[in-house]
Amino acid sequence: MLLSKFVRLLMAVLQIVGVVIAGIVGCLWLAMLWAGQLHRPKRAPPGSFGLPIIGETHQFVIDGRSKSPQVYADKRKAKYGQPVYTTHHMGYPTVMSIDPEVNKFILQNEGKYFVSNYPRSLRNLFGEGAIACTSGDLHKRIHNVVLSFINTTKLKEFVMADVEYVIKTALRNWEGRTVHVEEECKTCKENCVNVMKKIIEERRRKPQSEQKDILDALLADSDQNGEKIPDSIIYNNIMNLFGAGEETSPMAMMCAVKYIYECPKALDQLREEHYAIRKMKASRESLTWNDYTNCMTFTHQVINETLRLVNPAAGVNRKAVKDVEFKGYFFPKGWLVFPYFRNVHLDEAVYPDPLTFNPWRWEKKIPSMYYTPFGGGPRICAGQELAKLEIAIFLHYLVTQFTWIHHDDEIINFPAVSFKNKLPITVKALQR
Ligand code: HEM
């Protein structure tokens, strides 16, 4: 009896010791794997790979969701004494840069030294040949078609009236209600996707005689051998365009609503600018391209300042396709490269009192490499002109037709910009 108890106790102890030893061996194995697999070339910038497997991803997420998401990069710049350093994100060794000159070099050398690098899950979601994850000739073709369509002339002719109609209709429902701006923006989004599906079906049945929109332009495009872009790739790209614009522009609009509410002087000046435009029109007359380009100076300053502070795209993902050196910084082949714009947009030397919403700072010219909310180089945002136009038209109808009161809320910056309580505001029609 005593002997069997002793044997059972011994077995239990041996089991525990076994588990502990297996745990230690496992950890050692992981650590060795980590050290061996992530052998860091001597020339790589200083920095840390953080914890095995997760690296510093968790810290990036924690700081990203805090009220000061810029601290992640600030701390590392202070620790390593330079704005370009090694970290480890999403399972990969990464060189992160908050140096504007280095960021410009990375963006300009897309396809030569660096390529866009989305995780496999996102690539699957976007689908084959979608602009955001395709590269080489097909990328150039699609990017050029989209850019040449969303150029100012086409915007002037077709897009402005459509954008104005959608915004006017959406705002009409706001009157006298407490609206959650974030939700309202998403419901607009869903309507657009349904409309798009219908248009694609219709256009397939009955091709257009003249190119009115991006779909026509993509359907008509052919390479030097006369090869058309396959239908499946066209569909993926149209959906990709929706995806690229569906979060970013509405988020920027929402944040503009918050910033101008919190800065009454800016709201007054914005109202004045838009009243002046309305004064020259009959009551329901539409905005014109001339109004947008020549009569909205302060509106453009408000948009710039909003995007500077909010950063709908705080940085972009790249991968080094070969060993590269620039400005003394080394980017090892195969590593992720992460040009990060948020901290550049908060550089005190360029933007005094950087955390304050101050649209008047845009009265002076700011060097372009210090302001890249739309990225740069061959992958520069294909929808930037459209995004700015949408925000301007939205602000026009908002400030000329309504006053509003904010309820408590705060911005969350990660993974995408959003509001903790979906930004509730109570809207009242303006009596004029
Ligand atoms: C405030 C709003 C927006 C911001 C801040 C923004 C920002 C960006 C950024 C930073 C990139 C570069 C990505 C990279 O380099 O990897 C990008 C790419 C892109 N954006 Fe936007 N975007 C906005 C609105 C829009 C809209 C409204 C559309 C279209 C309807 C759009 C379509 C695209 C497309 C198609 C690309 C991929 C370009 C390429 O890879 O060649 N964006 N955007």
Side-chain angles (χ1 to χ4, degrees), residues 118 131 139 143 241 244-245 248-249 307 312-313 316 318 373-375 378-383 386-387:
Y118 284 95
I131 185 170
H139 171 256
H143 191 97
L241 281 173
T248 44
S249 299
L307 293 178
V316 295
R318 297 288 187 268
F374 295 104
R379 283 198 181 270
I380 193 162
C381 176
L386 177 61

Side-chain angles (χ1 to χ4, degrees), residues 149-313:
F149 185 78
I150 312 186
N151 69 15
T152 48
T153 321
K154 300 282 182 187
L155 271 184
K156 186 163 63 179
E157 285 171 17
F158 306 115
V159 186
M160 193 163 175
D162 291 349
V163 171
E164 191 172 13
Y165 174 77
V166 171
I167 286 172
K168 269 163 103 171
T169 314
L171 283 179
R172 214 170 285 146
N173 298 325
W174 284 25
E175 201 171 316
R177 287 173 52 207
T178 296
V179 294
H180 290 82
V181 187
E182 191 174 320
E183 263 173 13
E184 296 290 323
C185 289
K186 281 188 181 151
T187 314
C188 288
K189 178 194 93 186
E190 280 158 18
N191 290 346
C192 286
V193 171
N194 290 337
V195 170
M196 191 64 219
K197 280 187 179 152
K198 267 197 205 143
I199 295 174
I200 292 179
E201 281 167 23
E202 233 167 71
R203 206 71 62 81
R204 284 224 170 94
R205 277 203 308 271
K206 215 165 101 193
Q208 306 284 299
S209 53
E210 60 167 327
Q211 282 181 36
K212 278 220 203 93
D213 55 31
I214 295 179
L215 180 57
D216 288 329
L218 286 170
L219 285 165
D221 187 74
S222 51
D223 67 10
Q224 63 270 41
N225 305 320
E227 288 277 327
K228 298 265 182 206
I229 302 173
D231 274 7
S232 60
I233 292 186
I234 291 182
Y235 181 81
N236 288 340
N237 273 291
I238 293 291
M239 285 334 212
N240 200 184
L241 281 173
F242 267 117
E246 80 186 17
E247 297 284 341
T248 44
S249 299
M251 283 310 154
M253 288 178 199
M254 284 166 50
C255 295
V257 171
K258 179 177 157 66
Y259 289 138
I260 55 177
Y261 179 79
E262 288 169 354
C263 180
K265 194 176 149 212
L267 180 54
D268 287 348
Q269 190 165 334
L270 199 62
R271 274 217 169 96
E272 239 169 67
E273 182 163 278
H274 288 279
Y275 281 160
I277 296 171
R278 286 260 58 101
K279 239 189 210 164
M280 309 203 300
K281 294 182 180 297
S283 81
R284 283 170 192 272
E285 201 180 324
S286 296
L287 286 170
T288 62
W289 188 250
N290 181 52
D291 298 329
Y292 174 67
T293 47
N294 296 326
C295 309
M296 296 196 189
T297 309
F298 187 65
T299 310
H300 290 292
Q301 291 172 211
V302 166
I303 295 173
N304 282 351
E305 185 66 351
T306 301
L307 293 178
R308 178 186 77 81
L309 281 173
V310 160
N311 292 289

